[in-house]
Short mmCIF file of all heavy atoms in Angstrom, two decimals:
data_model
loop_
_atom_site.label_atom_id
_atom_site.label_comp_id
_atom_site.label_asym_id
_atom_site.label_seq_id
_atom_site.Cartn_x
_atom_site.Cartn_y
_atom_site.Cartn_z
N LEU A 38 120.03 101.75 151.54
CA LEU A 38 121.47 101.52 151.56
C LEU A 38 122.18 102.52 152.46
O LEU A 38 123.06 102.16 153.25
CB LEU A 38 122.03 101.61 150.13
CG LEU A 38 121.69 100.42 149.24
CD1 LEU A 38 121.90 100.78 147.78
CD2 LEU A 38 122.52 99.22 149.62
N LEU A 39 121.78 103.80 152.39
CA LEU A 39 122.40 104.80 153.25
C LEU A 39 122.09 104.55 154.71
O LEU A 39 122.95 104.67 155.58
CB LEU A 39 121.91 106.20 152.84
CG LEU A 39 122.41 106.71 151.49
CD1 LEU A 39 121.71 108.02 151.13
CD2 LEU A 39 123.91 106.89 151.49
N PHE A 40 120.83 104.14 154.98
CA PHE A 40 120.47 103.83 156.36
C PHE A 40 121.29 102.65 156.86
O PHE A 40 121.79 102.65 157.98
CB PHE A 40 118.98 103.50 156.44
CG PHE A 40 118.52 103.14 157.83
CD1 PHE A 40 118.35 104.13 158.79
CD2 PHE A 40 118.30 101.82 158.17
CE1 PHE A 40 117.93 103.79 160.07
CE2 PHE A 40 117.89 101.48 159.44
CZ PHE A 40 117.71 102.46 160.40
N GLY A 41 121.45 101.65 155.97
CA GLY A 41 122.25 100.50 156.36
C GLY A 41 123.69 100.88 156.63
O GLY A 41 124.32 100.36 157.56
N MET A 42 124.24 101.82 155.84
CA MET A 42 125.61 102.25 156.05
C MET A 42 125.75 102.97 157.38
O MET A 42 126.73 102.79 158.12
CB MET A 42 126.07 103.15 154.90
CG MET A 42 126.24 102.41 153.58
SD MET A 42 126.60 103.49 152.18
CE MET A 42 128.23 104.06 152.62
N LEU A 43 124.74 103.80 157.73
CA LEU A 43 124.78 104.48 159.02
C LEU A 43 124.72 103.49 160.16
O LEU A 43 125.42 103.61 161.17
CB LEU A 43 123.62 105.49 159.11
CG LEU A 43 123.74 106.71 158.19
CD1 LEU A 43 122.44 107.51 158.24
CD2 LEU A 43 124.92 107.58 158.59
N MET A 44 123.86 102.47 160.01
CA MET A 44 123.76 101.45 161.05
C MET A 44 125.06 100.68 161.15
O MET A 44 125.53 100.34 162.25
CB MET A 44 122.59 100.50 160.74
CG MET A 44 121.23 101.16 160.84
SD MET A 44 120.89 101.86 162.48
CE MET A 44 120.79 100.35 163.44
N ALA A 45 125.65 100.39 159.97
CA ALA A 45 126.93 99.68 159.99
C ALA A 45 128.00 100.52 160.66
O ALA A 45 128.84 100.02 161.40
CB ALA A 45 127.36 99.32 158.56
N LEU A 46 128.00 101.83 160.40
CA LEU A 46 128.95 102.72 161.06
C LEU A 46 128.79 102.66 162.56
O LEU A 46 129.75 102.57 163.31
CB LEU A 46 128.75 104.15 160.57
CG LEU A 46 129.57 105.23 161.33
CD1 LEU A 46 131.05 104.96 161.18
CD2 LEU A 46 129.20 106.61 160.84
N SER A 47 127.54 102.69 163.01
CA SER A 47 127.28 102.65 164.45
C SER A 47 127.84 101.38 165.05
O SER A 47 128.55 101.40 166.05
CB SER A 47 125.78 102.75 164.71
OG SER A 47 125.50 102.59 166.08
N SER A 48 127.54 100.23 164.42
CA SER A 48 127.99 98.96 164.99
C SER A 48 129.50 98.81 164.85
O SER A 48 130.16 98.32 165.76
CB SER A 48 127.29 97.79 164.29
OG SER A 48 127.58 97.80 162.91
N THR A 49 130.06 99.26 163.69
CA THR A 49 131.49 99.13 163.50
C THR A 49 132.25 100.03 164.47
O THR A 49 133.27 99.66 165.02
CB THR A 49 131.87 99.48 162.05
OG1 THR A 49 131.13 98.63 161.18
CG2 THR A 49 133.35 99.29 161.81
N SER A 50 131.74 101.26 164.67
CA SER A 50 132.41 102.16 165.60
C SER A 50 132.47 101.56 166.99
O SER A 50 133.44 101.74 167.72
CB SER A 50 131.69 103.51 165.62
OG SER A 50 131.74 104.12 164.35
#
Side-chain angles (χ1 to χ4, degrees):
L38 287 163
L39 291 173
F40 179 76
M42 291 173 68
L43 290 172
M44 293 301 293
L46 172 61
S47 174
S48 60
T49 304
S50 297

